[in-house]
Amino acid sequence: MRLHLQLATGPEPPHGARSTVSVVTLTRARTRVFPLGSRSKPLTYALCLEHLGADVVHRFVGQEPSGRNFNELVLDHNNRPHNPMVNSGAIVVCSMLKQLLRPEMTSAQKFEFTLNFIQRMAGGEKLGFNNAVFVSERDAQQRWAQSYVVARPVFKQPAGTNHRNS
């Protein structure tokens, strides 16, 4: 099985609407391309938990369901996103990856480290990367707007966080 990111040409569909999984057999290999999108949230959260520990991670992001939409900017009573599965929580988790997890690494090394972790979580399968998807997601206006809000002082974030680089 080979996983790839696909160019984000519009809003992500409802959960599971475009998700596919491909099974590769010895007689007939098939590859299905699908966008990872928000499915990366539990993976980056798991990476932070494994390497930083729950105490550090939960200083910056909660762990309780919010009952809110994934893209709402609502904080819990500790001024944190409710959990890492909402966009604001995922932005904070990415800030932790960037600032707290192995800070001596360059951005390229951190990318490889994260990709290797996700490949391990995918059972050792080879993962693909599409730079056009990266650029498309990076330039998405709604997420940029959310990252600016998350960068406000009321949000708890790791020291040195630069939302444009997270």
Side-chain angles (χ1 to χ4, degrees), residues 19-163:
S19 296
T20 60
V21 175
S22 175
V23 176
V24 177
T25 67
L26 294 176
T27 57
R28 190 172 161 188
R30 298 180 66 186
T31 300
R32 296 273 185 187
V33 176
F34 66 93
L36 193 55
S38 287
R39 290 159 204 81
S40 67
K41 291 174 184 175
L43 300 170
T44 54
Y45 177 55
L47 176 60
C48 281
L49 286 174
E50 182 173 303
H51 291 276
L52 299 174
D55 290 342
V56 171
V57 170
H58 295 135
R59 267 190 249 151
F60 302 104
V61 65
Q63 55 187 334
E64 297 298 328
S66 66
R68 306 282 187 156
N69 287 329
F70 72 96
N71 60 353
E72 284 188 63
L73 289 169
V74 179
L75 301 177
D76 67 12
H77 64 280
N78 292 313
N79 287 333
R80 302 172 304 181
H82 283 273
N83 62 66
M85 301 307 132
V86 296
N87 285 352
S88 57
I91 291 168
V92 171
V93 168
C94 286
S95 294
M96 284 187 276
L97 285 174
K98 179 78 172 158
Q99 297 300 320
L100 300 179
L101 184 67
R102 304 215 177 159
E104 74 280 0
M105 286 184 173
T106 66
S107 293
Q109 291 169 325
K110 190 124 353 169
F111 173 81
E112 286 297 318
F113 180 79
T114 303
L115 183 62
N116 289 336
F117 177 84
I118 294 172
Q119 283 182 179
R120 184 168 53 93
M121 296 294 287
E125 298 295 333
K126 178 86 172 123
L127 302 178
F129 176 79
N130 184 321
N131 195 59
V133 173
F134 167 75
V135 171
S136 173
E137 288 293 322
R138 183 190 64 195
D139 294 342
Q141 294 302 312
Q142 181 182 16
R143 290 194 183 94
W144 274 116
Q146 287 178 338
S147 70
Y148 277 106
V149 173
V150 170
R152 295 182 322 186
V154 71
F155 276 83
K156 294 181 178 180
Q157 293 219 27
T161 296
N162 176 345
H163 68 281

